[in-house]
Structures are given as C-alpha cells and as structure tokens.
C-alpha cells in the first residue's frame, strides 16, 4: 500500500544488480486468429484484485486485438522477488506494477522500455489535453533521465487524520504547524493521550518536512541533504516531541492507525491508503485534513503507491497492447472506478471531477483531503541504488528511536553512506 520498501525488498536489489539484460518470456509469435497476450504482474489482492480484474475484463471486451492476462503476486515483496527470478530466467512479463523508486535500478540493468514513443509520439499518442489531464506530480514520479519509465496507476498521498470527538472534548483547533502539535501536548499528556500518532518509522514524514523546508532529501541532480541543518531540525522536532510523549510512534503493529483507532492519539499522519484501515468505534467521529507545515507555511506531501512499467523483450505488438491497456486505464470512467473501489486517489483531474467520483466523495468525505493533496504531492527522487539507500535510511531512523542515537550522529553517518551510493551509481 505504501511506497516504503521493506528491508527484504531493499536488500533484494543487491541481487538485481547482478542480472543482465533479459527478455520477456511471452514474446513468442502468435497466430493471427489469436489476440496478442499481454502478461501483467501486480500486487493486488482481495477486493482490489476483484476491482482491477473487472477493468481488465472491460478492456479485453472492448477490442479483439489484445488480451491482458493478469497475475497477482500477493505483495510488493513477493512481486519484486518474482520479477528478479523472472529476470534471471528471461521470463519477465510484458508489464508490471512497481514503486517508482525501483525504476533507477531497473534502468541501470536495462530492463525497461520507456513509454515515451507511444505516449508522446505516433497515431495513438496522448493529446495535449489528455496529457495535461494527468496530475503533474503523478506523471513526474515515473520520469527518470528525461524519459517516462513509469506511468501512474495506484497513487496515495499523505494526510492528517483527526479525531473530531476528542478535539471537541479538549477544545482543540486543527493544527496548521508542527508547533501547534507541540503546544497541544502538555494538556493531552495529563490524560494519557498523545497529540499525534505516527508509523513505526518517521522516514516519510521526514521527507515531507524536508521538502517543506525547501529541499528534497535527495535532489534530482544527485545531492544528498540528509544532514542539512533543516533536515536535522526536522529530525530533532520529531524526536523531541516523541521523548516528551506528545508524539507516539507505532510498535510492532507498524502503522499509526492502531493508536488512532483506539483513541490513544488525537491526530495521526499517514498515507491516504490507510483511510480504510481506521477501525474507529461508532462513538468516534473522525476525518482527514492537510498535513501540518514544518517550515515556511509550505504544504508538501510525499507520494505513495505504484506505477506501471514496461519490460524489454516484449514484442512490438505487445508493447502496443500494453500501451493500449495503459491508455484505457487513464480514461475518465476507468480511473474514477479504480479510485472509488481501491481507495487510491484518481490519477486524472477529469476522473476526480466526474459524477462517479464526486458522488463517492459525498458518501466518503474522508477521501477529500487526499485528493486535494494531489496538487502539492511530490515523489521521491529516482536513482540507481535507491534500495540500498532506503535500507540505510530505515536503519538510521530505527537507531534514533530504539537505540537513542542522536539525530546528528545518525544522519551524519547516513549522509556519508548515501554519498557513496550515489557516487557508485553515477553514470
């Protein structure tokens, strides 16, 4: 559900980097009477898988030239492991879902075909209006070295969750800044409440706070800002509020939603994909809003989710079929349907504005803040070696929480490790 890769997935990139150029295992010639088979690997399960399959069935019924055959791998970790195994055996699918942060390593190993030649050129390209209909932040997320290797599909944004019942009880107003969170702390702590609940790792919040302060943790030109003064100020803010008992980070349950649902915290910060995970009692009235600002009254939220990528080895016909399917997903009615059924935000403005989705928002107002964040959301910088960096970042965050390592010491060390990764992967 999130862009955060697990340690297993991040470490797995070490094996990925040893794999050379591979081909899809389904590029054999097909008889003229049969539709071109487009194999599609994904991580959707349960109701997500059911809703996605309906869209796939609709695409297959809409024309006779191509047939998308989807396979669920069950999770991001399992999907990544299956893709690496397929790369080694030269049996990759035609297309798959992937976090955009995988793209740098995929491109380094010459796995991917950019979508540019079909999306921007040719008789079936997107018109200027269709291109501008996609939220710019979502489209930018899959861009790497001037080419679009990933196209948006399942996107979620960061939002502030609030317990309106407790806010009224304690006469609280919506926090606009992290200083507001801190000011609410003492009174709530007296009653055993945290002001804010967060996931076990604060890496996503830190990335947003750094952006609000004026820079990315890793810039597009490959500069690391992991021990920049503003980054360290954000780390210290989180750690000091946690030490004071005003911020509560999740334990083995990992996500903030447990503490928030149990009303142990008035507010929570997390992915909009967590909206469906809030198990609030009937007596608790809650909603979502814009995340608090850390600096400059700026609003910026990291993106989560996944894009669709196209693998080398696919035949020209398969490439065309994959693009036809991707273009089908971008249609207003299909993008609105997927957002409604999955809980992800619509990937196009027209889908958001559609009667289908507007009616959905009226019935499910907690998703409005997530959609509103689409204009100010941003993606992590894509680069080769991102998996190693993410693993180091998670270890660094953990050391400040579980081992009491100072923010400066921890992130100074991370800066050095990351600079080495960036240097090693420079092309």
């Amino acid at each position: 559900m999130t862009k955060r890769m697990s340690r297993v997935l991040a470490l797995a990139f070490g094996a990925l980097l040893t794999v050379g150029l591979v081909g899809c295992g389904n590029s054999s010639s097909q008889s003229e009477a049969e539709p071109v088979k487009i194999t599609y690997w994904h991580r959707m399960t349960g109701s997500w898988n059911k809703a996605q399959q309906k869209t796939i069935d609709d695409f297959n019924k809409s024309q006779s030239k191509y047939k998308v055959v989807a396979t669920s791998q069950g999770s991001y970790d399992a999907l990544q492991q299956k893709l690496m195994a397929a790369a080694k055996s030269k049996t990759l699918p035609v297309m798959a879902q992937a976090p955009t942060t995988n793209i740098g390593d995929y491109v380094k190993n010459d796995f991917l075909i950019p979508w540019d030649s079909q999306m921007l050129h040719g008789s079936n390209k997107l018109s200027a209006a269709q291109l501008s209909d996609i939220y710019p932040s979502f489209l930018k997320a899959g861009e790497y070295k001037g080419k679009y290797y990933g196209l948006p599909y399942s996107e979620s944004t960061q939002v502030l969750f609030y317990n309106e019942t407790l806010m009224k009880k304690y006469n609280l107003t919506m926090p606009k800044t992290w200083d507001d969170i801190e000011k609410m702390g003492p009174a709530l702590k007296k009653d055993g409440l945290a002001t804010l609940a967060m996931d076990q790792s604060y890496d996503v919040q830190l990335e947003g706070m750094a952006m609000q302060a004026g820079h990315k943790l890793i810039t597009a030109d490959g500069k690391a800002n992991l021990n920049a003064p503003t980054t360290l100020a954000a780390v210290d803010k989180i750690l000091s509020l946690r030490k004071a008992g005003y911020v509560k980070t999740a334990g083995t349950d990992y996500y903030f939603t447990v503490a928030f649902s149990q009303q142990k915290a008035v507010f929570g910060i997390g992915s909009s994909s967590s909206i469906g995970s809030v198990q609030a009692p009937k007596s608790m009235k809650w909603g979502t809003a814009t995340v608090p600002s850390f600096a400059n009254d700026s609003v910026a939220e990291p993106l989560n989710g996944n894009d669709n990528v196209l693998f080398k080895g696919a035949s020209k016909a398969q490439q065309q079929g994959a693009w036809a399917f991707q273009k089908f997903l971008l249609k207003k009615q299909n993008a609105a349907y997927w957002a409604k059924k999955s809980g992800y935000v619509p990937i196009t403005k027209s889908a958001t504005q559609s009667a289908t989705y507007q009616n959905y928002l009226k019935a499910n107002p907690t998703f409005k803040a997530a959609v509103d964040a689409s204009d100010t959301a941003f993606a992590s910088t894509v680069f080769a070696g991102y998996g190693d960096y993410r693993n180091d970042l998670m270890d660094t965050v953990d050391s400040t929480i579980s081992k009491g390592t100072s923010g400066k010491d921890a992130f100074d060390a991370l800066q050095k490790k990351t600079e080495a990764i960036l240097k090693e992967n420079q092309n």
Side-chain angles (χ1 to χ4, degrees), residues 89-305:
S89 61
K90 299 185 179 182
T91 56
L92 279 166
V94 172
M95 61 187 296
Q97 296 172 4
T100 57
T101 48
N102 290 19
I103 288 174
D105 287 296
Y106 286 169
V107 172
K108 183 177 181 179
N109 286 274
D110 204 22
F111 287 176
L112 299 183
I113 302 172
W115 295 98
D116 300 52
S117 62
Q118 299 185 86
M119 182 176 75
L120 304 177
H121 308 285
S123 59
N124 198 31
K125 68 178 182 180
L126 293 183
S127 66
Q130 289 173 321
L131 195 61
S132 64
D133 189 35
I134 304 172
Y135 284 103
S137 59
F138 299 170
L139 189 59
K140 183 70 175 175
E143 185 180 7
Y144 181 55
K145 295 188 174 182
K147 296 180 180 180
Y148 294 103
Y149 287 98
L151 291 182
Y153 176 56
S154 301
E155 306 290 346
S156 57
T157 56
Q158 292 284 304
V159 293
L160 178 73
F161 293 69
Y162 64 88
N163 183 325
E164 186 175 335
T165 304
L166 288 177
M167 286 182 68
K168 288 182 177 180
K169 178 179 179 180
Y170 288 92
N171 195 28
L172 302 176
T173 57
M174 198 69 68
K176 300 298 183 182
T177 68
W178 278 81
D179 287 341
D180 292 339
I181 295 290
E182 185 171 11
K183 291 174 184 176
M184 296 176 187
L188 294 172
K189 184 180 179 180
K190 289 180 181 178
D191 285 353
L193 294 174
T195 307
L196 179 71
M198 296 170 60
D199 291 342
Q200 187 183 66
S201 176
Y202 58 76
D203 60 293
V204 179
Q205 278 69 53
L206 177 62
E207 190 168 14
M209 294 164 79
M211 192 69 168
Q212 291 170 357
H215 61 73
K216 279 191 169 185
L217 293 181
I218 310 292
T219 66
D221 59 359
K223 178 186 177 183
N225 288 308
L226 296 160
N227 65 346
T230 45
T231 301
L232 294 180
V235 172
D236 289 343
K237 173 66 77 173
I238 293 171
L239 293 178
S240 64
L241 295 186
R242 184 177 183 276
K243 184 177 180 180
Y246 307 158
V247 166
K248 179 181 180 63
T249 53
T252 55
D253 44 37
Y254 200 83
Y255 295 109
F256 79 94
T257 49
V258 175
F260 181 75
S261 298
Q262 294 175 351
Q263 302 192 79
K264 295 179 179 179
V266 180
F267 303 97
I269 291 182
S271 168
S272 60
S273 63
S274 298
I275 290 174
S277 301
V278 174
Q279 303 295 320
K282 292 183 179 180
S283 59
M284 172 180 157
K285 188 175 181 181
W286 65 280
T288 61
T290 302
V291 298
S293 176
F294 173 64
N296 307 319
D297 294 324
S298 175
V299 177
E301 308 89 3
L303 280 175
N304 300 323

Side-chain angles (χ1 to χ4, degrees), residues 22-26 39 41 82-83 85-94:
V22 296
C24 297
N26 52 4
T39 48
W41 289 6
K82 289 288 184 67
L83 286 172
K88 292 179 181 179
S89 61
K90 299 185 179 182
T91 56
L92 279 166
V94 172

Side-chain angles (χ1 to χ4, degrees), residues 59-74:
F59 170 74
N60 290 338
K61 292 174 184 176
S62 72
Q63 45 73 52
S64 58
K65 192 172 182 179
Y66 310 109
K67 181 178 180 180
V68 174
V69 179
T71 302
S72 173
Q73 305 298 348

